[in-house]
């Protein structure tokens, strides 16, 4: 076939199949465009799916994340000058009570001298009368005096009205009347009928932290709510008149006091709040018989009292050890946790006689509010935690000025730190409650704003006198 014939045949074939070739070419171009569109669609689909996944995970996280609990403010009871009960008055009343034997009077004198209490602690009105004749009516009077005073003070400070309170938690270990103390508050302030009220009794000096725990749980469930926590110990009827020494110790340590705390999960309270609750850890050693009976209310003949065991400080130290084992991983920096772990492994596999490593909690906290249960208790806790005198100052000075006010003492200690002008934004506070059962409870707070010195409050008129040096007799 010649070249001319071949060219003619190709031209004819091309002309005859021009439509098919055009369709195939167009189809190929369409396929290429579809492929490009598909790739583009895949990119957009992947982007959309990624964004949807991020939004979903963020929603799940924020919905499952506990609501923040804010401490808006708190108030501590400041006894009137008429309630002051110096050592001389204490001893004079003891001598005039015919039930006390001379050896019991001398024992109380020694306990007072070594107690760490100062001369300005207070007792309720019934204790100022000779002969001492406590009644339920007198206990109610003390309850109203302490509780209404601190609640009034808190409402003034926060500008919150009684009808704004959604949750009410009251704790008092020894005095549990009917109607309850929480009902007494509802009646006094005419609170709403749908208020969720709770009254805790018999839970000892650590009940203040337990009340915070209960209020927190309620706030986690009920959105946009305010919680009022009132913590106190009404001691009018529970003054021991007998000669058992383990019961006489409580007479020398416990004094009148109380505190009211406003918690909230409302967004508008976030800016005004002083603190935010970070952690709350509770430890109960009641399964151990020694721990269970170390603070024990019982009868001595016809007289009732609270017996304090000689093993109290050692048991408190043991309960603290269990509590910090649970608290440590939540608050300690990684370096301290590693050192603690290596020490534990070394003691188990290398040498059991190695001293246990005590983590440095000063790296986790800026302020320590250890329950002011007594001088020996504060010293034991300070030694266990390797704290300096400055770091236990709030506890020691609270004991000196107000005595052992039971479950409210950590709030007096927090008030001391604030009154000294030491609280700064971002500071972390460890409140520790120790009490019958035996229990050790911890609450960790973060300061949301710098707190200035207040013109009124439990410490307002005496803070410049503190810290004071312990009396020479206290050192023995």
């Amino acid at each position: 076939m010649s070249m001319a014939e071949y060219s003619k045949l190709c031209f004819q074939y091309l002309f005859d199949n021009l439509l098919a070739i055009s369709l195939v070419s167009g189809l190929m171009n369409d396929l290429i465009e579809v492929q490009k569109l598909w790739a583009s669609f895949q990119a957009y689909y992947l982007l959309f799916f990624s964004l949807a996944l991020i939004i979903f995970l963020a929603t799940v996280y924020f919905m499952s994340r506990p609501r923040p609990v804010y401490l808006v403010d708190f108030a501590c009871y400041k006894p009137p000058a008429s309630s002051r009960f110096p050592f001389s008055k204490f001893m004079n009343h003891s001598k005039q009570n015919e039930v006390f034997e001379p050896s019991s009077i001398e024992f109380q004198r020694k306990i007072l001298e070594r107690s760490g209490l100062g001369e300005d602690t207070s007792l309720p009105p019934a204790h100022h009368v000779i002969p001492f004749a406590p009644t339920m009516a007198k206990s109610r009077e003390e309850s109203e005096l302490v509780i209404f005073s601190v609640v009034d003070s808190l409402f003034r400070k926060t500008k919150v009205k009684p009808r704004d309170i959604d949750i009410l938690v009251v704790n008092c270990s020894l005095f549990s009347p009917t109607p309850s103390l929480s009902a007494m508050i509802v009646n006094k302030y005419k609170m709403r009928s749908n208020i969720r009220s709770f009254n805790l009794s018999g839970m000892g000096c650590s009940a203040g932290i337990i009340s915070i725990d209960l209020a927190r749980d309620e706030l986690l469930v009920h959105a946009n709510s305010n919680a009022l926590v009132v913590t106190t110990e009404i001691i009018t009827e529970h003054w021991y008149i007998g000669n058992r020494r383990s019961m006489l110790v409580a007479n020398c340590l416990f004094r009148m006091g109380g505190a009211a705390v406003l918690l909230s999960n409302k967004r508008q309270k976030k800016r005004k709040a002083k603190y935010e609750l970070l952690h709350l850890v509770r430890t109960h050693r009641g399964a151990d018989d020694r721990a269970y009976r170390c603070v024990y209310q019982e009868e001595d003949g016809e007289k009732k009292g609270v017996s304090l065991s000689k093993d109290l400080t050692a048991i408190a130290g043991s309960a603290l050890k269990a509590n910090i084992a649970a608290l440590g991983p939540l608050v300690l920096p990684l370096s301290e946790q590693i050192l603690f772990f290596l020490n534990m492994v070394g003691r188990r596999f290398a040498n059991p006689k190695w001293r246990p490593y005590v983590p440095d909690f000063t790296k986790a906290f800026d302020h320590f509010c250890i329950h002011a249960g007594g001088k020996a208790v504060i010293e034991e806790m300070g030694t266990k935690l390797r704290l300096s005198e400055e770091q236990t100052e709030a506890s020691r000075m609270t004991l000196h000025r107000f005595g052992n006010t039971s479950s409210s003492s950590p709030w007096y200690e927090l008030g001391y730190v604030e009154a000294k002008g030491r609280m700064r934004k971002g500071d972390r506070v460890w409140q520790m409650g120790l009490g019958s059962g035996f229990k050790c409870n911890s609450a960790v707070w973060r300061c949301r704003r710098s707190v200035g010195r207040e013109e009124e409050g439990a410490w307002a008129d005496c803070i410049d006198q503190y810290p004071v040096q312990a009396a020479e007799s206290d050192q023995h």
Side-chain angles (χ1 to χ4, degrees):
M1 182 183 292
S2 64
M3 181 62 70
E5 291 175 342
Y6 180 77
S7 298
K8 182 179 178 180
L9 183 63
C10 288
F11 178 78
Q12 187 178 358
Y13 180 82
L14 179 65
F15 184 79
D16 291 342
N17 295 281
L18 180 62
L19 181 60
I21 292 172
S22 298
L23 290 174
V24 170
S25 177
L27 183 60
M28 291 297 295
N29 287 332
D30 289 343
L31 288 174
I32 292 172
E33 290 299 322
V34 168
Q35 187 177 10
K36 290 181 179 179
L37 286 172
W38 175 248
S40 177
F41 175 76
Q42 283 183 316
Y44 283 116
Y45 178 77
L46 181 62
L47 178 62
F48 174 78
F49 178 78
S50 299
L51 289 174
L53 182 62
I54 291 172
I55 293 172
F56 174 75
L57 293 176
T59 302
V60 171
Y61 170 76
F62 285 109
M63 289 185 67
S64 61
R65 185 168 175 257
R67 293 188 182 95
V69 174
Y70 302 110
L71 193 166
V72 181
D73 212 333
F74 66 96
C76 295
Y77 175 69
K78 181 183 177 183
S82 59
S83 297
R84 181 173 173 267
F85 215 87
F87 290 179
S88 57
K89 189 171 185 177
F90 185 101
M91 295 308 303
N92 181 52
H93 280 226
S94 296
K95 291 175 182 177
Q96 293 192 52
N97 193 315
E98 297 179 356
V99 174
F100 291 134
E101 298 173 354
S103 59
S104 297
I105 295 173
E106 178 63 16
F107 175 76
Q108 291 182 90
R109 183 188 66 78
K110 291 181 179 179
I111 292 295
L112 277 175
E113 290 178 348
R114 301 171 183 175
S115 64
L117 274 67
E119 294 283 355
D120 293 320
T121 61
S122 297
L123 287 173
H127 291 73
H128 294 256
V129 179
I130 300 175
F132 175 58
T135 62
M136 176 169 281
K138 293 293 183 182
S139 291
R140 288 188 184 275
E141 288 180 17
E142 181 191 353
S143 303
E144 294 173 358
L145 175 63
V146 174
I147 293 175
F148 294 165
S149 294
V150 291
V151 172
D152 286 344
S153 178
L154 183 65
F155 284 161
R156 283 196 305 271
K157 292 172 71 175
T158 60
K159 304 295 190 294
V160 169
K161 299 178 181 178
R163 295 189 64 82
D164 294 332
I165 301 300
D166 306 285
I167 301 159
L168 172 63
V169 182
V170 181
N171 73 265
C172 179
S173 187
L174 296 176
F175 183 57
S176 184
T178 300
S180 66
L181 296 177
S182 60
M184 182 185 78
I185 295 174
V186 172
N187 176 260
K188 163 69 175 179
Y189 295 98
K190 308 306 177 188
M191 293 178 169
R192 303 197 317 263
S193 61
N194 64 341
I195 190 169
R196 300 179 63 84
S197 66
F198 303 87
N199 199 96
L200 306 180
S201 64
M203 304 198 78
C205 299
S206 66
I209 305 297
I210 297 173
S211 294
I212 295 295
D213 188 24
L214 176 56
R216 178 196 63 171
D217 289 347
E218 286 291 310
L219 289 171
L220 292 178
V221 174
H222 302 283
N224 201 37
S225 299
N226 292 321
L228 171 62
V229 175
V230 179
T231 176
T232 188
E233 193 62 77
I234 304 304
I235 60 177
T236 290
E237 289 187 276
H238 301 280
W239 196 254
Y240 173 66
I241 302 177
N243 294 287
R244 189 187 297 185
R245 293 193 172 188
S246 62
M247 293 183 175
L248 287 170
V249 174
N251 287 6
C252 302
L253 296 178
F254 285 94
R255 294 294 184 268
M256 183 168 61
V261 184
L262 179 64
L263 303 176
S264 181
N265 58 17
K266 293 188 176 184
R267 290 184 178 180
Q268 59 266 38
K269 297 294 184 184
K270 181 178 180 179
R271 183 173 55 85
K272 297 181 180 180
K274 283 185 175 182
Y275 305 94
E276 181 178 352
L277 182 62
L278 299 183
H279 306 289
L280 203 150
V281 175
R282 293 170 56 181
T283 305
H284 204 305
R285 306 286 288 177
D288 179 1
D289 290 342
R290 266 178 76 241
Y292 172 70
R293 294 191 65 92
C294 72
V295 180
Y296 200 82
Q297 186 180 16
E298 57 186 327
E299 291 179 333
D300 174 21
E302 296 181 355
K303 307 297 183 182
K304 288 190 297 185
V306 176
S307 176
L308 303 181
S309 168
K310 294 180 179 179
D311 300 328
L312 177 59
T313 55
I315 290 170
S318 176
L320 172 65
K321 183 179 179 181
N323 190 258
I324 63 177
L327 179 66
L330 301 175
V331 298
L332 287 171
L334 183 60
S335 59
E336 287 298 305
Q337 295 191 48
I338 291 174
L339 289 173
F340 179 80
F341 175 76
L342 292 177
N343 176 265
M344 182 179 66
V345 172
R347 290 171 57 224
R348 181 164 186 174
F349 296 104
N351 188 349
K353 295 183 179 180
W354 283 1
R355 292 183 61 185
Y357 178 72
V358 179
D360 185 359
F361 278 92
T362 61
K363 295 182 179 179
F365 302 111
D366 302 283
H367 308 285
F368 298 83
C369 298
I370 302 168
H371 166 53
K375 183 185 175 187
V377 171
I378 297 173
E379 289 179 347
E380 178 73 10
M381 298 300 102
T383 300
K384 291 285 185 184
L385 296 172
R386 299 190 302 177
L387 302 180
S388 65
E389 284 200 358
E390 182 179 356
Q391 288 159 340
T392 60
E393 181 182 313
S395 300
R396 291 184 291 106
M397 296 306 108
T398 293
L399 182 66
H400 184 275
R401 173 61 184 86
F402 296 100
N404 181 350
T405 60
S406 189
S407 56
S408 63
S409 70
W411 297 106
Y412 284 94
E413 293 156 14
L414 187 57
Y416 180 88
V417 176
E418 290 185 356
K420 279 295 183 181
R422 298 172 182 172
M423 191 64 70
R424 296 288 180 267
K425 182 178 179 179
D427 284 0
R428 293 196 175 201
V429 183
W430 181 6
Q431 283 186 319
M432 184 195 305
L434 299 161
S436 60
F438 192 85
K439 299 180 286 289
C440 180
N441 302 321
S442 294
V444 179
W445 306 89
R446 180 175 59 217
C447 183
R448 294 190 50 80
R449 58 181 174 87
S450 296
V451 180
R453 183 169 174 175
E454 297 179 347
E455 294 183 1
E456 66 170 294
W459 291 98
D461 64 345
C462 64
I463 191 63
D464 292 331
Q465 303 171 19
Y466 287 92
V468 298
Q469 295 297 321
E472 184 177 349
S473 57
D474 290 345
Q475 306 301 322
H476 302 292

